[in-house]
């Protein structure tokens, strides 16, 4: 996979906009970037974490009571933190703040709990083509993806629901990368679709059904062709 941005983004869904913004902006200290309307009563409030983006998708309408995905923990390296600190946002999403360099984390690490560790290593290493960090984790620039075993992990994660719901990887050619993932045995979540003159996106799913967005964003790549 030819990566256009050396970082992974994380998307969550909520119906608790004011409390979530207060937590992520004031308590955690993430800078607000912009609001994007994504349709169907959803506004995406984007917050920077270095090169990564936390996408807070606020839903106007109630969300289904779907179980949590495998995306269990977001760890953020912050220069203002001297010792690791765990907390939860108002929706119960787990957050860990650590000093830069703690456990090799430069900016963020996303922990994904899975039923079959070997299948996930095959997916993230061979199918997606992310480089191994050499310790069971995978690296995308300044972002780390850590795979942990949980035999009770959900077998068919759903996109809609409260909590961390999907990862985003930015690429130069969403159509080609989407096709390559499927050719290597990946499962399609949604075929490529163009969002006006802003981005071209698709979704694929890991062996537990966790969603990964493949995005070709014009502000990053310079073109949607």
């Amino acid at each position: 996979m030819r990566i256009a941005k050396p970082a992974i983004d994380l998307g969550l869904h909520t119906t608790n906009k004011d409390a979530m913004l207060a937590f992520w902006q004031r308590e955690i200290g993430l800078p607000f970037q912009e609001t994007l309307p994504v349709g169907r009563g959803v506004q995406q409030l984007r917050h920077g974490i270095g090169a990564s983006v936390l996408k807070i998708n606020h839903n106007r309408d109630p969300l289904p009571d779907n179980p949590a995905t495998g995306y269990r923990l977001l760890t953020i390296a912050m220069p203002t933190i001297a010792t690791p600190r765990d907390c939860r946002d108002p929706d119960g999403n787990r957050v860990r703040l650590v000093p830069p360099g703690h456990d090799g984390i430069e900016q963020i690490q996303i922990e994904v709990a899975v039923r079959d560790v070997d299948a996930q290593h095959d997916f993230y290493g061979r199918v997606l083509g992310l480089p191994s960090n050499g310790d069971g984790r995978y690296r995308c620039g300044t972002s780390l993806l850590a795979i942990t075993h949980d035999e009770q992990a959900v077998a068919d994660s759903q996109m809609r629901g409260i909590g961390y719901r999907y990862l985003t990887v930015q690429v130069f050619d969403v159509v080609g990368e989407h096709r390559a993932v499927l050719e290597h045995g990946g499962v399609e979540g949604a075929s490529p679709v163009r969002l006006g003159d802003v981005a071209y996106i698709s979704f694929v799913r890991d062996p537990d059904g966790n969603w990964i967005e493949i995005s070709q964003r014009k502000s990053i790549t310079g073109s949607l062709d």
Side-chain angles (χ1 to χ4, degrees):
M1 184 171 285
R2 186 173 173 231
I3 301 296
K5 184 181 79 168
I8 293 174
D9 303 330
L10 177 62
L12 63 82
H13 280 275
T14 186
T15 56
N16 195 13
K17 176 182 174 180
D18 292 342
M20 290 288 278
L21 292 182
F23 173 84
W24 287 102
Q25 292 178 6
R26 299 174 195 168
E27 185 169 339
I28 303 301
L30 299 188
F32 172 75
Q33 293 182 334
E34 61 177 333
T35 299
L36 296 178
V38 295
R40 299 183 180 180
V42 180
Q43 286 186 321
Q44 184 177 103
L45 302 113
R46 298 167 65 90
H47 293 72
I49 316 176
S52 295
V53 176
L54 177 67
K55 303 176 178 181
I56 300 176
N57 294 285
H58 172 66
N59 292 254
R60 176 191 60 205
D61 301 323
L63 286 164
D65 188 22
N66 284 323
T69 67
Y71 303 125
R72 299 287 179 82
L73 173 65
L74 170 62
T75 301
I76 305 174
M78 306 188 76
T80 55
I81 298 297
T83 58
R85 177 167 69 90
D86 288 340
C87 53
R88 291 179 182 265
D89 73 12
D91 283 350
N93 299 304
R94 294 174 58 208
V95 186
R96 178 171 295 153
L97 306 178
V98 300
H102 177 85
D103 198 24
I105 300 170
E106 300 173 36
Q107 286 189 357
I108 71 167
Q109 175 176 281
I110 300 164
E111 180 181 305
V112 54
V114 303
R115 294 170 301 139
D116 186 336
V117 171
D118 290 339
Q120 296 287 344
H121 280 304
D122 179 69
F123 174 78
Y124 286 104
R126 182 184 63 83
V127 178
L128 282 193
L130 294 180
S132 171
N133 201 52
D135 55 4
R137 296 181 291 179
Y138 292 87
R139 178 173 291 279
C140 179
T142 57
S143 304
L144 287 170
L145 186 69
I147 297 172
T148 61
H149 179 249
D150 180 359
E151 61 184 17
Q152 301 301 318
V154 175
D156 184 23
S157 295
Q158 297 300 306
M159 171 63 81
R160 288 178 54 77
I162 298 293
Y164 298 137
R165 290 286 150 180
Y166 64 99
L167 306 180
T168 301
V169 179
Q170 297 289 344
V171 301
F172 288 98
D173 176 10
V174 67
V175 173
E177 299 293 0
H178 184 89
R179 181 174 59 247
V181 169
L182 301 188
E183 289 174 349
H184 285 81
V187 175
E188 184 173 72
S191 59
V193 60
R194 184 163 175 159
L195 305 179
D197 201 37
V198 176
Y200 213 161
I201 68 168
S202 72
F203 285 91
V204 296
R205 304 178 74 182
D206 76 9
D208 275 4
N210 295 303
W211 294 70
I212 299 103
E213 179 186 28
I214 303 174
S215 172
Q216 181 181 343
R217 189 172 174 83
K218 186 175 181 179
S219 63
I220 295 173
T221 64
S223 172
L224 297 183
D225 297 330

